[in-house]
Amino acid sequence: MSQPTAPIVHGTEDVLIALCNSVSRVLQVATQCPIQYSGMVQRITKTSLKPDIGCFVLFDGAFSGLVVINFTAAAALEVYQNYLMNMGIPKEELATLHTSDEVGNVMGELMNQILGDFTNKVSQELQTSISQSQPKMLTLNKQVLISVDTNLDRPQARRVSFFTEKNNIFYMELAMDKTEFIQLHDFTRHEVVDPDSLLRSVANGESLGSNGSAAPAPSSSDDHDDLLASLGL
């Protein structure tokens, strides 16, 4: 007699991995430069904003938590400049100091994209929903402790190191309640359509499939078979 299959359980570490992948993917797409994260995660007891630039976002819904990303001045300027140069802005027109308002605004925008990607992943993979606050980006010269303004029964905190193309380091910290998601049955994960790919497909005159993605063009052999069929051959 076969043993019953053990249910699939997703916990805090799975949420952390999803968040790390969102940080890496969004920044790589934005800057067109590699962004990697460490294979080791650090257990911490508190989260904090640290110099030179810190950003935090609160999220709530199926579970509550806090995301903090701390950039050194070099890491923030590298990401900021690569992002805008990738958009076609000349380097000589960009800010050169991390204290510039433009740097803070751009980094806040990228943080918002990261959390948007993360909430979409949570919706697909965990079949639930969370909402996020507006990212707050601060230029700092000293450490500031920060905590989730909610009651967490079993709080957990993690820190992960990220590396830019020039080997500048920044850190992401996640604080959330210990939680588990147990998969009760199989379900279909709907692919999220990339708007940029969709626009390129429309511009190229490609037809769209049922999920909004580009459908493959009919082959010449199919056209040949249709012609023979219409002639009764």
Side-chain angles (χ1 to χ4, degrees):
M1 181 177 180
S2 60
Q3 296 292 328
T5 304
I8 299 175
V9 179
H10 300 278
T12 304
E13 311 305 336
D14 297 292
V15 174
L16 177 66
I17 291 172
L19 182 55
C20 287
N21 288 335
S22 290
V23 172
S24 179
R25 192 186 79 83
V26 169
L27 293 184
Q28 284 187 137
V29 171
T31 64
Q32 291 299 296
C33 295
I35 302 289
Q36 299 178 336
Y37 61 88
S38 171
M40 301 293 289
V41 59
Q42 183 180 359
R43 294 179 186 269
I44 56 178
T45 58
K46 56 189 177 183
T47 53
S48 60
L49 293 168
K50 298 177 181 177
D52 293 298
I53 291 184
C55 182
F56 70 93
V57 175
L58 293 168
F59 57 86
D60 201 2
F63 53 92
S64 300
L66 166 72
V67 177
V68 176
I69 298 186
N70 293 310
F71 291 90
T72 61
L77 282 173
E78 181 184 350
V79 171
Y80 154 79
Q81 291 178 350
N82 286 341
Y83 174 46
L84 292 188
M85 285 191 296
N86 186 44
M87 296 175 64
I89 300 176
K91 186 174 182 178
E92 54 269 18
E93 296 182 11
L94 302 180
T96 56
L97 296 175
H98 73 280
T99 53
S100 169
D101 289 341
E102 184 180 356
V103 175
N105 292 338
V106 167
M107 299 306 291
E109 175 188 337
L110 290 173
M111 184 73 169
N112 199 39
Q113 293 179 27
I114 289 169
L115 267 294
D117 186 84
F118 172 62
T119 55
N120 284 336
K121 290 283 179 57
V122 168
S123 176
Q124 293 176 64
E125 301 294 332
L126 302 181
Q127 296 284 288
T128 190
S129 175
I130 58 173
S131 58
Q132 68 180 75
S133 66
Q134 190 68 22
K136 305 295 182 184
M137 183 70 69
L138 301 172
T139 302
L140 304 164
N141 55 20
K142 61 181 179 180
Q143 179 173 321
V144 178
L145 295 180
I146 186 169
S147 60
V148 185
D149 186 19
T150 186
N151 294 322
L152 299 182
D153 296 328
R154 296 180 296 172
Q156 293 187 320
R158 303 285 189 269
R159 179 187 293 131
V160 180
S161 303
F162 285 78
F163 306 90
T164 67
E165 183 182 31
K166 296 181 179 178
N167 235 18
N168 291 312
I169 301 177
F170 62 94
Y171 303 93
M172 184 199 71
E173 298 180 2
L174 169 67
M176 60 177 288
D177 206 0
K178 184 177 182 180
T179 187
E180 290 184 343
F181 291 88
I182 303 171
Q183 185 171 324
L184 301 178
H185 57 80
D186 293 335
F187 56 86
T188 302
R189 292 172 174 80
H190 299 287
E191 181 181 355
V192 176
V193 178
D194 181 3
D196 294 332
S197 298
L198 183 61
L199 290 174
R200 284 195 296 269
S201 298
V202 173
N204 292 334
E206 299 176 8
S207 59
L208 301 180
S210 59
N211 64 346
S213 60
S219 64
S220 57
S221 61
D222 291 339
D223 295 337
H224 181 68
D225 292 341
D226 291 341
L227 176 61
L228 293 177
S230 65
L231 295 176
L233 301 176

